[in-house]
Amino acid sequence: MTTHSPALPTTLDKPARITIRGTTKTGRRLTIPRSVRRAAGPLGLVLLWFLTSATGVLPETVLASPVDVLKQAVELTRNGELPSAIAASGRRAATGFLIGAAIALSLSLLAGLFRLGEDVIDSSMGMFRAIPWVGLIPLFIVWFGIEETPKIALVALGVTYPLYFNIYGGIRSTDSQLVDAARMMGLGRLGLIRYVILPSALPGALVGLRYALSTAWLALVFAEQINADAGLGYLMSNAQQYFRTDVIVLCLVVYALLGLACDFAVRILSRRLLTWRANFEGGA
């Protein structure tokens, strides 16, 4: 009995290809650059401010329009008042920041690296942090007078706390397994601090640096109300006496821009120093 296998087809039928021109999709989604998205919020607020001022919803006696603020910026820049005020405020902020950063770095290293330092320093810093540093202005005036010293001291005090607690927390959050591995490889105490502990504390220190810089400008706003004869606070005090909201808003905008510039610089520094660390940058 012979069995016949079914004949295999020699050719395969191919479906006809239909091409519709002009309707092909690439699958790409329209993305807005991050710089544009970051600027959308501030620009939207300025636009809302302009519209409410132009329509009379926001009277000039309450808040000057952005056009008036811009005119004052041009005028004060031409006569040199605004650049000299920014220079005076910048010197105070820089001096106070350097003093506060030196104090915070010294205390955080002592408290973070040594148990005796932690017992003596950390509890005291936690106690002093509960005291509002702005409330110390009258005491600073009694101690240091009304010249430059109380202004710089207030900025230094405001800078010290965020830097200290972030550096101290970064040191104490070092992975103990890394410390044990470094000791097994023969690293001494100095090598352990240099190659393991300080790099582990660097992210926290940079976070503290961002907070400290913003606090420095915030403290300067209060500090320059203490009998200042130069600086942005001096301009604001004079403008307050004559109800010049355009000058007051201009000074506040300059404070904000200076703080934003410092924050941007720290962001760039963080990207350079933390290239070894993989971070989550959020979804699209």
Side-chain angles (χ1 to χ4, degrees):
M1 180 176 180
T2 343
T3 58
H4 298 279
S5 58
L8 296 174
T10 56
T11 59
L12 296 175
D13 295 332
K14 296 181 179 180
R17 179 178 297 174
I18 301 175
T19 304
I20 303 176
R21 299 183 180 276
T23 60
T24 56
K25 296 182 179 180
T26 59
R28 295 180 180 177
R29 185 174 59 180
L30 179 64
T31 57
I32 302 175
R34 293 195 66 187
S35 58
V36 176
R37 288 186 290 178
R38 285 180 179 271
L43 289 177
L45 291 175
V46 173
L47 179 60
L48 179 63
W49 178 20
F50 174 76
L51 292 177
T52 53
S53 298
T55 55
V57 176
L58 186 64
E60 292 186 2
T61 55
V62 176
L63 188 64
S65 68
V67 177
D68 295 334
V69 174
L70 184 60
K71 289 180 180 178
Q72 279 299 316
V74 174
E75 181 179 349
L76 293 178
T77 302
R78 285 178 179 175
N79 60 26
E81 290 186 40
L82 187 59
S84 62
I86 294 175
S89 297
R91 285 193 299 268
R92 292 183 184 123
T95 306
F97 175 81
L98 291 177
I99 295 173
I103 295 173
L105 182 60
S106 302
L107 294 178
S108 60
L109 289 177
L110 290 174
L113 298 176
F114 305 100
R115 293 181 181 176
L116 178 61
E118 179 186 13
D119 297 337
V120 174
I121 296 172
D122 190 61
S123 58
S124 301
M125 291 295 291
M127 178 181 65
F128 288 133
R129 183 179 61 171
I131 301 175
W133 46 267
V134 178
L136 295 175
I137 293 178
L139 193 58
F140 280 6
I141 294 176
V142 173
W143 288 347
F144 307 118
I146 56 176
E147 300 300 328
E148 290 296 306
T149 305
K151 303 175 181 62
I152 295 174
L154 191 65
V155 175
L157 184 64
V159 165
T160 300
Y161 294 121
L163 268 179
Y164 167 80
F165 284 104
N166 280 278
I167 297 175
Y168 168 77
I171 292 174
R172 285 308 175 96
S173 63
T174 303
D175 192 350
S176 60
Q177 294 182 355
L178 291 178
V179 175
D180 294 338
R183 286 173 176 167
M184 291 178 62
M185 294 178 63
L187 280 180
R189 187 172 186 84
L190 291 179
L192 186 67
I193 294 173
R194 179 180 178 182
Y195 295 107
V196 178
I197 297 178
L198 292 184
S200 298
L202 185 59
L206 290 172
V207 172
L209 182 60
R210 291 183 65 183
Y211 280 111
L213 286 171
S214 61
T215 305
W217 292 110
L218 177 62
L220 192 64
V221 174
F222 295 99
E224 289 188 331
Q225 307 298 320
I226 308 173
N227 195 34
D229 57 357
L232 294 172
Y234 173 70
L235 289 180
M236 291 179 64
S237 297
N238 287 343
Q240 180 186 1
Q241 296 177 7
Y242 298 100
F243 301 97
R244 296 293 305 274
T245 58
D246 51 353
V247 179
I248 294 175
V249 172
L250 173 61
C251 294
L252 293 176
V253 169
V254 173
Y255 276 125
L257 292 178
L258 290 173
L260 186 63
C262 292
D263 187 75
F264 181 72
V266 176
R267 283 177 177 268
I268 296 177
L269 184 64
S270 300
R271 291 176 183 176
R272 295 291 182 89
L273 296 179
L274 299 180
T275 53
W276 52 270
R277 188 178 182 222
N279 294 327
F280 173 66
E281 296 184 352

